[in-house]
Amino acid sequence: MPHDFIGWFHTIAAILALITGTIILIKTKGTVLHKQIGRIYGVAMILVCITSFMIYRVHGSFGVLHFFAVVSTVTLLLGMLPLYFKSKFKQPIIMHLSWMYWSVIGLYCAFTAEVLTRLPMLLSIKYTYGIFYALVGISAGAVGYAGSIVFKKKLNEWIDAFSQSK
């Protein structure tokens, strides 16, 4: 559970990003609705990324979770940049869809890790950093692997639908 204002702000922004990110993955790409919800997702994720660097409960300093926050920030930016600088990218729409897809999958990884790392406490299991990091790794790995399978299929669909070389 969040312990302070920043933690609550981070959690609420993450929930908003989870909801809007899921809608974006499910709905048709390129529509007005996609763009509107995408903007909400983008702002929510920027807030999640910023606040993630303000949370230091695990070790009290920059740690592995902050590393993943850097990855999340880079993924989000790489997903947004092709829309604003289309002429600089060979396939801007495909680049946007690919990086934003991974932004949402990364958020799913973080959510799953957050839930699973709570299990030992709920089950009254002695909690250690080893268990914590094992659960983070297992959850992120499983969700990331599942996401990669779907990504391969989606990428081919996006290339067929949005490739500029048609």
Side-chain angles (χ1 to χ4, degrees), residues 109-131:
C109 290
F111 173 75
T112 306
E114 188 68 31
V115 170
L116 285 184
T117 57
R118 306 290 181 208
L119 284 179
M121 291 179 278
L122 294 173
L123 300 173
S124 298
I125 296 172
K126 184 179 178 191
Y127 201 71
T128 65
Y129 284 123
I131 290 173

Side-chain angles (χ1 to χ4, degrees), residues 52-53 58 62-70 113-114 132-133 136:
S52 69
F53 295 109
V58 177
F62 192 91
V64 69
L65 299 179
H66 293 101
F67 169 77
F68 287 119
V70 170
E114 188 68 31
F132 174 83
Y133 287 116
V136 168

Side-chain angles (χ1 to χ4, degrees), residues 16 59 68 86 91 94 111-112 117 131 149 156 162 164:
L16 180 60
H59 288 295
F68 287 119
K86 289 180 182 172
Q91 299 284 346
I94 293 169
F111 173 75
T112 306
T117 57
I131 290 173
I149 292 169
N156 290 329
F162 299 108
Q164 292 178 354

